[in-house]
Amino acid sequence: MSRFAPEVLPARGVQFPLSVSVLIVGAGAAGLTAALAARDAGADVLVLERDAVPQGSTALSSGLVPAAGTRAQAARGIVDTPEIFARDIQAKARGHAEPRLVVTLTTTIGPTLDWLADVHRVPFSVVEGFLYPGHSVLRMHGTPKRTGAELIVYLGDATARAGVDVATDAHVHALYVEDDQIAGVRIDRPDGTMEMIGCGALVLACSGFGGNAGMVRQCIPEMASALYFGHAGNQGDALAWGWGLGAATRDMGAYQGHGSVATPYNILVTWALMMEGGFQVNAAGQRFSNEHLGYSEQARAVLAQPGGFAWNVYDERRHMLGLEFEDYREAVAAGAIHSAPGMRELARELGLPEQALADTQNAVEDMVNGRQSDPWARDFSAKPVLKAPFYGVKVTGALFHTQGGLLVDDSARVLRAGGAPLPNLFAAGGAACGLSGPECWGYLSGNGLLAAIGLGRIAGSSAAATSRFRLP
Ligand SMILES: Cc1cc2nc3c(=O)[nH]c(=O)nc-3n(C[C@H](O)[C@H](O)[C@H](O)COP(=O)(O)OP(=O)(O)OC[C@H]3O[C@@H](n4cnc5c(N)ncnc54)[C@H](O)[C@@H]3O)c2cc1C
């Protein structure tokens, strides 16, 4: 538990023994990308990270970033444009995503991934084999292992090569302000010492408030008692400072949930199983939703079932697909994944009612073969029927990260409630309001890292341009 609450204090008379052009709070994907962009623009940059090792939610994530028009897509013959991507984002958010930000991010994220690959040696390739819910084109990009743990290592190595300093165990608590300009910050060290650091511009890349149970209770009451699967250090500090400065916030009830976390193991089970023909049942062995709407809103649907649990049911072909994902392999190793030669045997293995599960399987088979339609309007026709042996895993719903946050302009500058920008304050990633509309159903897969990496680059280069202290 921290000794200090985040605060905004007057800068008049405060001394900053060290100053840099661009100061960045948080060393996740947003902070490290902002650092690379600011450094490329010639600024001296310092990243401040509260933890001993930079990880954030980025390292916990699957590390997949959606982008349109990348060279990685072109190399695989995939035709995609910012316009198609923007349509997919707005379709998922039912038109509630901030339109200006949608255009900005869908047009810049492709060149940003190419820049990270070419200039900073982050080797992105397209994830193929299945479409994530809501994406009309293959556009999820990942590093070779498809993990956020690997992505953060690539970004960390790139910042080291670029000569960016990352100070760890550096918990930012206070922002110092004069005439609306951020003059610097105070960091608190684990040994109780404090340091004052001045800046020409400040980038808030310290993510959202998923780790702050009080804020979740207040802003997202439906997830107050759900498992939080993101980084515990994301305590909503950017929002607290923003409110202290009169900044505007938006969509505070929005979040990325996930309806497929193996329980009691707490391991993510890929949604590819559902997209490729698997289905979810509750303790009564019955389906309860259209699994293809998205994994985010499925968190709420699963938590509404008896006990807050569901079971993913699929077959050997989908199991083999799952094995391509590191966390699924972990789930297998942990004993979370069950298999059986028939559906009734699987029901026994999972502790579900045999007849009900067999009936559900028969109904799904009828939907695949066009003999009946799904009461939840899922289209089963595109994927083959499940074939024995069958597989199952008990899952629950979880909160992955928050999507509401500080409103920013096209330069990632933080906006006041009246619409005017704060001159040298920027936000990216989970600190900024995302593209998911007001609730969980608006989250299109990858919106998290899209805002982290996309806004991170914009914030870093804008902060460098704004900064009053430039390198000689
Ligand atoms: C299990 C899981 C899977 C996911 N998979 C995907 C995916 O495949 N694709 C996708 O797009 N999104 C995914 N997400 C969401 C994604 O992880 C986040 O949207 C993204 O990582 C946010 O990046 P960020 O840099 O803003 O925050 P973070 O990576 O969380 O970094 C913020 C950093 O700020 C630090 N910090 C906080 N407060 C302070 C302070 N006061 N002083 C100093 N440092 C501070 C934190 O310690 C942290 O290191 C997933 C999330 C989870 C939990």
Side-chain angles (χ1 to χ4, degrees), residues 26 29-30 49-50 57-58 61-62 64 172 231 234 237 401 430 446 448-449:
E49 166 56 50
R50 58 177 279 167
S57 284
T58 301
S61 78
S62 309
L64 302 181
V172 179
H231 182 59
N234 294 342
D237 294 352
H401 74 281
L449 285 169

Side-chain angles (χ1 to χ4, degrees), residues 6 24-32 48-51 53-66 132 140 146 148 152 167 170-173 187 204-208 228-238 241 256 258 261 268 295 327 399-403 428-432 443-453:
I24 297 171
V25 187
L32 296 182
L48 302 171
E49 166 56 50
R50 58 177 279 167
D51 291 350
V53 178
Q55 290 189 320
S57 284
T58 301
L60 301 171
S61 78
S62 309
L64 302 181
V65 195
Y132 278 84
M140 297 300 265
R146 308 323 199 193
I152 202 83
H171 198 155
V172 179
H173 279 111
I187 59 173
L204 300 178
C206 45
S207 207
Y228 172 53
F229 216 60
H231 182 59
N234 294 342
Q235 292 284 323
D237 294 352
W241 293 318
Q256 179 200 3
H258 207 295
V261 173
L268 174 64
Y295 53 67
D327 29 26
L399 169 64
F400 273 22
H401 74 281
T402 54
Q403 275 280 294
Y443 184 84
L444 183 71
S445 310
N447 273 2
L449 285 169
L450 168 62
I453 290 180

Side-chain angles (χ1 to χ4, degrees), residues 24-372:
I24 297 171
V25 187
L32 296 182
T33 306
L36 290 171
R39 189 78 192 108
D40 280 8
D44 58 324
V45 183
L46 176 61
V47 183
L48 302 171
E49 166 56 50
R50 58 177 279 167
D51 291 350
V53 178
Q55 290 189 320
S57 284
T58 301
L60 301 171
S61 78
S62 309
L64 302 181
V65 195
T70 61
R71 265 205 316 289
Q73 283 177 311
R76 305 298 296 161
I78 299 162
V79 178
D80 193 11
T81 63
E83 292 73 29
I84 304 173
F85 187 13
R87 269 203 302 278
D88 288 349
I89 288 175
Q90 285 294 21
K92 191 75 180 72
R94 303 179 196 168
H96 290 286
E98 216 282 298
R100 198 178 27 79
L101 197 55
V102 172
V103 172
T104 302
L105 286 179
T106 51
T107 41
T108 54
I109 190 66
T112 294
L113 292 200
D114 288 346
W115 162 73
L116 282 175
D118 296 346
V119 181
H120 294 293
R121 300 190 225 160
V122 184
F124 283 113
S125 59
V126 181
V127 179
E128 296 186 63
F130 65 96
L131 281 173
Y132 278 84
H135 286 284
S136 55
V137 177
L138 289 171
R139 64 165 73 95
M140 297 300 265
H141 296 68
T143 54
K145 285 188 180 166
R146 308 323 199 193
T147 64
E150 186 185 55
L151 175 63
I152 202 83
V153 168
Y154 273 112
L155 291 172
D157 289 351
T159 49
R161 273 194 304 274
V164 170
D165 288 320
V166 179
T168 53
D169 284 329
H171 198 155
V172 179
H173 279 111
L175 264 50
Y176 293 88
V177 184
E178 186 168 2
D179 297 333
D180 275 355
Q181 295 267 347
I182 311 297
V185 306
R186 188 192 79 225
I187 59 173
D188 297 287
R189 299 290 199 175
D191 65 3
T193 56
M194 294 178 181
E195 290 167 37
M196 307 294 285
I197 303 173
C199 61
L202 184 69
V203 178
L204 300 178
C206 45
S207 207
F209 57 94
N212 185 326
M215 280 183 79
V216 172
R217 227 180 359 262
Q218 195 186 336
C219 301
I220 317 176
E222 68 196 30
M223 296 306 273
S225 52
L227 171 71
Y228 172 53
F229 216 60
H231 182 59
N234 294 342
Q235 292 284 323
D237 294 352
L239 284 154
W241 293 318
W243 284 322
L245 290 160
T249 54
R250 185 178 148 148
D251 294 337
M252 294 300 292
Y255 64 95
Q256 179 200 3
H258 207 295
S260 180
V261 173
T263 185
Y265 307 91
N266 289 356
I267 301 172
L268 174 64
V269 176
T270 174
W271 204 246
L273 304 176
M274 297 298 112
M275 297 311 291
E276 285 301 298
F279 57 87
Q280 284 194 319
V281 296
N282 57 20
Q286 291 166 343
R287 287 184 56 244
F288 51 89
S289 62
N290 176 352
E291 300 86 342
H292 279 192
L293 288 180
Y295 53 67
S296 180
E297 53 270 60
Q298 201 67 8
R300 193 157 71 182
V302 168
L303 289 170
Q305 300 310 304
F309 301 122
W311 286 259
N312 296 351
V313 176
Y314 49 101
D315 67 0
E316 180 97 355
R317 188 175 80 79
R318 282 79 176 179
H319 170 70
M320 298 310 290
L321 174 65
L323 288 173
E324 291 175 20
F325 295 83
E326 189 160 300
D327 29 26
Y328 186 83
R329 293 195 294 273
E330 269 174 44
V332 172
I337 311 294
H338 298 264
S339 67
M343 198 53 86
R344 286 175 180 278
E345 291 92 329
L346 184 70
R348 278 202 292 281
E349 180 79 18
L350 298 175
L352 296 173
E354 282 179 42
Q355 188 59 48
L357 190 60
D359 290 347
T360 299
Q361 183 209 0
N362 289 336
V364 166
E365 213 166 302
D366 281 351
M367 292 173 214
V368 173
N369 293 323
R371 286 193 291 267
Q372 60 169 287

